[in-house]
Amino acid sequence: MLRIGLFLLTNLAVMLLVGIIFNLLGIQGILDANGVGLNLPGLLVMCAVFGIGGSLISLLMSKTLARMSTRTQIIQQPQTADERWLVDTVRELSQKAGIGMPDVGIFPMPQANAFATGWNRNSALVAVSEGLLQRFSRDEARAVIGHEIGHVANGDMVTLALIQGVVNTFVMFFARLVGFFVDRVLLRNEEGLGIGYYITSIIMDMVFGVFAMFVVAWFSRRREYRADAAGAHLASTNAMIAALARIKAESEAGREQPLPANMKAFGIYGNSMAALLASHPPLEDRILALQNSGR
């Protein structure tokens, strides 16, 4: 909650700064002079409510959405040796990382993958695929679990959701600002909001949204290095390197199957999208970073 509070205060400060800059540049006066009739502070607040509020709601629902989209089965009482080992390992590494015991689950995917999600570090979900439990050694699987617990301990889910919220706020704000300008200044519509506003806003939402994805993807890639370091600390560097190397080998062999779209950023590996939009760095870069950290 402290992290969320501090982030919201930071966002309010950014919004206040933007408002001051607009006033200093006289943008509100320019809009009024051209008959735009747009209340910039009010628009910014409205966009913040929808942008940040939507991300916070998604964060609060993240465990439920993750279970549904991956068909994860939560382990209530371990029934097999694999389940007992998994629960015991999550408990051990969680205590070592100083977080509350997460829910532990297994999802039906033959490929090796894992994810962590949750609205705070003491109410998280850590899940692994059936394929990972079947083919990875215990040391490799332990390192992957350590990586996911690292995400939880670092508060990555909260931070990513709030960054997404801020980005959404400014995408909505500038898209509607351009829409108002086109509708009132270029098309000279003087009665309410015309079709130009709606069409332009939708187009600019998509255009600005692409640029916003670069920011979110950059943060997502940076947090993977931190989670790898956490996995190396909680398990061992050699085990974390071995786990990433096995994932890389399986990916090259065509066994890779990414998580559902809403969960890609939370998994142990991502996808083959263009580098600037990828949620995860290349596996070879992550392995090299771990190797260099031990020197």
Side-chain angles (χ1 to χ4, degrees), residues 136-147 228 231-247 268 287 290:
F136 276 39
S137 71
R138 287 292 191 246
D139 285 344
E140 291 167 347
R142 191 170 185 270
V144 171
I145 295 168
H147 170 102
D228 286 342
H233 170 71
L234 294 173
S236 75
T237 300
N238 289 338
M240 191 72 247
I241 291 174
L244 293 175
R246 181 179 288 273
I247 292 170
I268 183 68
I287 292 171
L290 288 171

mmCIF file of all heavy atoms in Angstrom, residues 136-147 228 231-247 268 287 290:
data_model
loop_
_atom_site.group_PDB
_atom_site.id
_atom_site.type_symbol
_atom_site.label_atom_id
_atom_site.label_comp_id
_atom_site.label_asym_id
_atom_site.label_seq_id
_atom_site.Cartn_x
_atom_site.Cartn_y
_atom_site.Cartn_z
ATOM 1 N N PHE A 136 12.286 -30.115 -16.080
ATOM 2 C CA PHE A 136 13.380 -29.388 -15.452
ATOM 3 C C PHE A 136 13.888 -30.161 -14.241
ATOM 4 O O PHE A 136 13.124 -30.819 -13.538
ATOM 5 C CB PHE A 136 12.918 -27.995 -15.013
ATOM 6 C CG PHE A 136 12.974 -26.967 -16.116
ATOM 7 C CD1 PHE A 136 12.622 -27.292 -17.420
ATOM 8 C CD2 PHE A 136 13.360 -25.671 -15.846
ATOM 9 C CE1 PHE A 136 12.670 -26.356 -18.436
ATOM 10 C CE2 PHE A 136 13.413 -24.721 -16.850
ATOM 11 C CZ PHE A 136 13.065 -25.067 -18.155
ATOM 12 N N SER A 137 15.199 -30.044 -14.017
ATOM 13 C CA SER A 137 15.742 -30.612 -12.782
ATOM 14 C C SER A 137 15.216 -29.813 -11.599
ATOM 15 O O SER A 137 14.720 -28.693 -11.762
ATOM 16 C CB SER A 137 17.271 -30.569 -12.812
ATOM 17 O OG SER A 137 17.735 -29.221 -12.679
ATOM 18 N N ARG A 138 15.335 -30.360 -10.401
ATOM 19 C CA ARG A 138 14.854 -29.645 -9.219
ATOM 20 C C ARG A 138 15.598 -28.326 -9.048
ATOM 21 O O ARG A 138 14.997 -27.306 -8.686
ATOM 22 C CB ARG A 138 15.043 -30.522 -7.976
ATOM 23 C CG ARG A 138 14.060 -31.697 -7.884
ATOM 24 C CD ARG A 138 12.662 -31.188 -7.650
ATOM 25 N NE ARG A 138 11.716 -32.231 -7.293
ATOM 26 C CZ ARG A 138 10.698 -32.604 -8.043
ATOM 27 N NH1 ARG A 138 10.509 -32.032 -9.234
ATOM 28 N NH2 ARG A 138 9.864 -33.544 -7.635
ATOM 29 N N ASP A 139 16.891 -28.308 -9.297
ATOM 30 C CA ASP A 139 17.663 -27.064 -9.155
ATOM 31 C C ASP A 139 17.198 -26.011 -10.156
ATOM 32 O O ASP A 139 17.068 -24.822 -9.822
ATOM 33 C CB ASP A 139 19.154 -27.334 -9.342
ATOM 34 C CG ASP A 139 19.785 -28.014 -8.142
ATOM 35 O OD1 ASP A 139 19.155 -28.013 -7.056
ATOM 36 O OD2 ASP A 139 20.895 -28.551 -8.282
ATOM 37 N N GLU A 140 16.947 -26.433 -11.402
ATOM 38 C CA GLU A 140 16.492 -25.491 -12.429
ATOM 39 C C GLU A 140 15.100 -24.963 -12.096
ATOM 40 O O GLU A 140 14.845 -23.755 -12.208
ATOM 41 C CB GLU A 140 16.494 -26.182 -13.792
ATOM 42 C CG GLU A 140 17.888 -26.500 -14.314
ATOM 43 C CD GLU A 140 17.861 -27.460 -15.492
ATOM 44 O OE1 GLU A 140 16.799 -28.074 -15.755
ATOM 45 O OE2 GLU A 140 18.913 -27.605 -16.149
ATOM 46 N N ALA A 141 14.213 -25.870 -11.701
ATOM 47 C CA ALA A 141 12.862 -25.436 -11.341
ATOM 48 C C ALA A 141 12.896 -24.503 -10.135
ATOM 49 O O ALA A 141 12.139 -23.524 -10.063
ATOM 50 C CB ALA A 141 11.980 -26.651 -11.052
ATOM 51 N N ARG A 142 13.774 -24.795 -9.184
ATOM 52 C CA ARG A 142 13.901 -23.953 -7.995
ATOM 53 C C ARG A 142 14.353 -22.539 -8.378
ATOM 54 O O ARG A 142 13.879 -21.546 -7.817
ATOM 55 C CB ARG A 142 14.893 -24.594 -7.028
ATOM 56 C CG ARG A 142 14.944 -23.974 -5.634
ATOM 57 C CD ARG A 142 15.780 -24.856 -4.713
ATOM 58 N NE ARG A 142 15.762 -24.355 -3.353
ATOM 59 C CZ ARG A 142 16.649 -23.482 -2.871
ATOM 60 N NH1 ARG A 142 17.627 -23.045 -3.652
ATOM 61 N NH2 ARG A 142 16.566 -23.051 -1.618
ATOM 62 N N ALA A 143 15.259 -22.447 -9.344
ATOM 63 C CA ALA A 143 15.729 -21.140 -9.801
ATOM 64 C C ALA A 143 14.601 -20.354 -10.482
ATOM 65 O O ALA A 143 14.459 -19.146 -10.277
ATOM 66 C CB ALA A 143 16.911 -21.313 -10.750
ATOM 67 N N VAL A 144 13.799 -21.045 -11.292
ATOM 68 C CA VAL A 144 12.667 -20.389 -11.952
ATOM 69 C C VAL A 144 11.681 -19.870 -10.903
ATOM 70 O O VAL A 144 11.177 -18.742 -11.001
ATOM 71 C CB VAL A 144 11.963 -21.361 -12.917
ATOM 72 C CG1 VAL A 144 10.651 -20.756 -13.428
ATOM 73 C CG2 VAL A 144 12.876 -21.692 -14.090
ATOM 74 N N ILE A 145 11.408 -20.679 -9.897
ATOM 75 C CA ILE A 145 10.511 -20.243 -8.821
ATOM 76 C C ILE A 145 11.114 -19.041 -8.097
ATOM 77 O O ILE A 145 10.416 -18.089 -7.754
ATOM 78 C CB ILE A 145 10.254 -21.396 -7.843
ATOM 79 C CG1 ILE A 145 9.485 -22.514 -8.555
ATOM 80 C CG2 ILE A 145 9.478 -20.920 -6.613
ATOM 81 C CD1 ILE A 145 9.432 -23.812 -7.781
ATOM 82 N N GLY A 146 12.422 -19.074 -7.878
ATOM 83 C CA GLY A 146 13.098 -17.932 -7.256
ATOM 84 C C GLY A 146 12.961 -16.675 -8.089
ATOM 85 O O GLY A 146 12.793 -15.566 -7.555
ATOM 86 N N HIS A 147 13.042 -16.828 -9.406
ATOM 87 C CA HIS A 147 12.851 -15.698 -10.318
ATOM 88 C C HIS A 147 11.459 -15.088 -10.125
ATOM 89 O O HIS A 147 11.319 -13.859 -10.010
ATOM 90 C CB HIS A 147 13.026 -16.193 -11.761
ATOM 91 C CG HIS A 147 12.627 -15.205 -12.809
ATOM 92 N ND1 HIS A 147 13.551 -14.451 -13.511
ATOM 93 C CD2 HIS A 147 11.405 -14.845 -13.295
ATOM 94 C CE1 HIS A 147 12.905 -13.673 -14.370
ATOM 95 N NE2 HIS A 147 11.606 -13.896 -14.261
ATOM 96 N N ASP A 228 15.934 -12.139 -12.462
ATOM 97 C CA ASP A 228 16.976 -13.158 -12.661
ATOM 98 C C ASP A 228 17.999 -13.103 -11.529
ATOM 99 O O ASP A 228 18.444 -14.137 -11.013
ATOM 100 C CB ASP A 228 17.686 -12.940 -14.001
ATOM 101 C CG ASP A 228 16.835 -13.360 -15.193
ATOM 102 O OD1 ASP A 228 15.865 -14.114 -14.995
ATOM 103 O OD2 ASP A 228 17.153 -12.930 -16.322
ATOM 104 N N GLY A 231 16.480 -14.682 -8.550
ATOM 105 C CA GLY A 231 16.504 -16.133 -8.676
ATOM 106 C C GLY A 231 17.876 -16.701 -8.393
ATOM 107 O O GLY A 231 18.017 -17.749 -7.742
ATOM 108 N N ALA A 232 18.906 -15.994 -8.859
ATOM 109 C CA ALA A 232 20.272 -16.435 -8.594
ATOM 110 C C ALA A 232 20.592 -16.353 -7.108
ATOM 111 O O ALA A 232 21.287 -17.213 -6.555
ATOM 112 C CB ALA A 232 21.256 -15.587 -9.395
ATOM 113 N N HIS A 233 20.083 -15.326 -6.445
ATOM 114 C CA HIS A 233 20.336 -15.159 -5.007
ATOM 115 C C HIS A 233 19.574 -16.197 -4.191
ATOM 116 O O HIS A 233 20.129 -16.792 -3.256
ATOM 117 C CB HIS A 233 19.930 -13.753 -4.571
ATOM 118 C CG HIS A 233 19.925 -13.550 -3.086
ATOM 119 N ND1 HIS A 233 21.083 -13.493 -2.339
ATOM 120 C CD2 HIS A 233 18.897 -13.410 -2.196
ATOM 121 C CE1 HIS A 233 20.778 -13.323 -1.068
ATOM 122 N NE2 HIS A 233 19.456 -13.276 -0.957
ATOM 123 N N LEU A 234 18.319 -16.426 -4.543
ATOM 124 C CA LEU A 234 17.482 -17.338 -3.758
ATOM 125 C C LEU A 234 17.830 -18.799 -4.023
ATOM 126 O O LEU A 234 17.728 -19.637 -3.116
ATOM 127 C CB LEU A 234 16.005 -17.102 -4.078
ATOM 128 C CG LEU A 234 15.443 -15.750 -3.655
ATOM 129 C CD1 LEU A 234 14.020 -15.565 -4.175
ATOM 130 C CD2 LEU A 234 15.459 -15.603 -2.133
ATOM 131 N N ALA A 235 18.221 -19.121 -5.235
ATOM 132 C CA ALA A 235 18.602 -20.500 -5.571
ATOM 133 C C ALA A 235 20.122 -20.541 -5.695
ATOM 134 O O ALA A 235 20.830 -20.736 -4.714
ATOM 135 C CB ALA A 235 17.913 -20.939 -6.856
ATOM 136 N N SER A 236 20.616 -20.340 -6.907
ATOM 137 C CA SER A 236 22.053 -20.180 -7.130
ATOM 138 C C SER A 236 22.243 -19.628 -8.532
ATOM 139 O O SER A 236 21.378 -19.811 -9.400
ATOM 140 C CB SER A 236 22.807 -21.505 -6.983
ATOM 141 O OG SER A 236 22.594 -22.337 -8.114
ATOM 142 N N THR A 237 23.370 -18.953 -8.751
ATOM 143 C CA THR A 237 23.627 -18.377 -10.066
ATOM 144 C C THR A 237 23.702 -19.458 -11.127
ATOM 145 O O THR A 237 23.136 -19.333 -12.216
ATOM 146 C CB THR A 237 24.934 -17.559 -10.046
ATOM 147 O OG1 THR A 237 24.825 -16.508 -9.083
ATOM 148 C CG2 THR A 237 25.209 -16.950 -11.411
ATOM 149 N N ASN A 238 24.408 -20.544 -10.822
ATOM 150 C CA ASN A 238 24.537 -21.626 -11.800
ATOM 151 C C ASN A 238 23.185 -22.234 -12.147
ATOM 152 O O ASN A 238 22.920 -22.562 -13.310
ATOM 153 C CB ASN A 238 25.471 -22.711 -11.261
ATOM 154 C CG ASN A 238 26.924 -22.265 -11.233
ATOM 155 O OD1 ASN A 238 27.307 -21.340 -11.962
ATOM 156 N ND2 ASN A 238 27.734 -22.889 -10.396
ATOM 157 N N ALA A 239 22.320 -22.398 -11.157
ATOM 158 C CA ALA A 239 20.995 -22.972 -11.415
ATOM 159 C C ALA A 239 20.154 -22.028 -12.260
ATOM 160 O O ALA A 239 19.425 -22.470 -13.159
ATOM 161 C CB ALA A 239 20.291 -23.280 -10.091
ATOM 162 N N MET A 240 20.241 -20.716 -12.000
ATOM 163 C CA MET A 240 19.474 -19.755 -12.780
ATOM 164 C C MET A 240 19.964 -19.738 -14.223
ATOM 165 O O MET A 240 19.154 -19.694 -15.162
ATOM 166 C CB MET A 240 19.605 -18.360 -12.149
ATOM 167 C CG MET A 240 18.641 -17.314 -12.712
ATOM 168 S SD MET A 240 16.918 -17.564 -12.208
ATOM 169 C CE MET A 240 16.153 -17.983 -13.761
ATOM 170 N N ILE A 241 21.273 -19.781 -14.416
ATOM 171 C CA ILE A 241 21.830 -19.824 -15.776
ATOM 172 C C ILE A 241 21.388 -21.102 -16.481
ATOM 173 O O ILE A 241 20.991 -21.080 -17.658
ATOM 174 C CB ILE A 241 23.368 -19.726 -15.727
ATOM 175 C CG1 ILE A 241 23.796 -18.320 -15.279
ATOM 176 C CG2 ILE A 241 23.968 -20.052 -17.099
ATOM 177 C CD1 ILE A 241 25.285 -18.177 -15.056
ATOM 178 N N ALA A 242 21.435 -22.228 -15.774
ATOM 179 C CA ALA A 242 21.036 -23.505 -16.364
ATOM 180 C C ALA A 242 19.566 -23.497 -16.757
ATOM 181 O O ALA A 242 19.186 -24.023 -17.810
ATOM 182 C CB ALA A 242 21.318 -24.649 -15.381
ATOM 183 N N ALA A 243 18.718 -22.880 -15.930
ATOM 184 C CA ALA A 243 17.289 -22.822 -16.231
ATOM 185 C C ALA A 243 17.039 -21.978 -17.486
ATOM 186 O O ALA A 243 16.261 -22.371 -18.368
ATOM 187 C CB ALA A 243 16.528 -22.243 -15.042
ATOM 188 N N LEU A 244 17.698 -20.826 -17.582
ATOM 189 C CA LEU A 244 17.529 -19.975 -18.760
ATOM 190 C C LEU A 244 18.076 -20.661 -20.011
ATOM 191 O O LEU A 244 17.492 -20.546 -21.099
ATOM 192 C CB LEU A 244 18.217 -18.634 -18.546
ATOM 193 C CG LEU A 244 17.620 -17.732 -17.463
ATOM 194 C CD1 LEU A 244 18.473 -16.477 -17.276
ATOM 195 C CD2 LEU A 244 16.183 -17.343 -17.803
ATOM 196 N N ALA A 245 19.187 -21.375 -19.867
ATOM 197 C CA ALA A 245 19.767 -22.098 -21.002
ATOM 198 C C ALA A 245 18.821 -23.200 -21.483
ATOM 199 O O ALA A 245 18.672 -23.423 -22.693
ATOM 200 C CB ALA A 245 21.118 -22.683 -20.614
ATOM 201 N N ARG A 246 18.177 -23.893 -20.552
ATOM 202 C CA ARG A 246 17.222 -24.937 -20.945
ATOM 203 C C ARG A 246 16.011 -24.319 -21.652
ATOM 204 O O ARG A 246 15.520 -24.855 -22.640
ATOM 205 C CB ARG A 246 16.773 -25.741 -19.726
ATOM 206 C CG ARG A 246 15.793 -26.869 -20.076
ATOM 207 C CD ARG A 246 15.402 -27.659 -18.854
ATOM 208 N NE ARG A 246 16.479 -28.495 -18.376
ATOM 209 C CZ ARG A 246 16.700 -29.744 -18.825
ATOM 210 N NH1 ARG A 246 15.931 -30.255 -19.768
ATOM 211 N NH2 ARG A 246 17.681 -30.456 -18.328
ATOM 212 N N ILE A 247 15.520 -23.198 -21.121
ATOM 213 C CA ILE A 247 14.399 -22.511 -21.774
ATOM 214 C C ILE A 247 14.790 -22.084 -23.184
ATOM 215 O O ILE A 247 14.013 -22.223 -24.138
ATOM 216 C CB ILE A 247 13.957 -21.299 -20.942
ATOM 217 C CG1 ILE A 247 13.334 -21.757 -19.627
ATOM 218 C CG2 ILE A 247 12.967 -20.436 -21.719
ATOM 219 C CD1 ILE A 247 13.084 -20.644 -18.640
ATOM 220 N N ILE A 268 8.274 -16.391 -17.257
ATOM 221 C CA ILE A 268 9.734 -16.505 -17.168
ATOM 222 C C ILE A 268 10.391 -16.113 -18.483
ATOM 223 O O ILE A 268 11.518 -15.674 -18.532
ATOM 224 C CB ILE A 268 10.143 -17.942 -16.753
ATOM 225 C CG1 ILE A 268 11.661 -18.052 -16.593
ATOM 226 C CG2 ILE A 268 9.647 -18.961 -17.757
ATOM 227 C CD1 ILE A 268 12.199 -17.263 -15.433
ATOM 228 N N ILE A 287 21.404 -14.491 -19.748
ATOM 229 C CA ILE A 287 22.436 -15.442 -19.303
ATOM 230 C C ILE A 287 23.777 -14.727 -19.149
ATOM 231 O O ILE A 287 24.496 -14.911 -18.161
ATOM 232 C CB ILE A 287 22.552 -16.614 -20.296
ATOM 233 C CG1 ILE A 287 21.280 -17.466 -20.252
ATOM 234 C CG2 ILE A 287 23.788 -17.464 -19.999
ATOM 235 C CD1 ILE A 287 21.195 -18.510 -21.339
ATOM 236 N N LEU A 290 23.989 -12.642 -15.988
ATOM 237 C CA LEU A 290 24.239 -13.460 -14.791
ATOM 238 C C LEU A 290 25.683 -13.928 -14.742
ATOM 239 O O LEU A 290 26.303 -13.950 -13.661
ATOM 240 C CB LEU A 290 23.292 -14.664 -14.768
ATOM 241 C CG LEU A 290 21.827 -14.354 -14.450
ATOM 242 C CD1 LEU A 290 20.962 -15.607 -14.674
ATOM 243 C CD2 LEU A 290 21.669 -13.872 -13.011
#
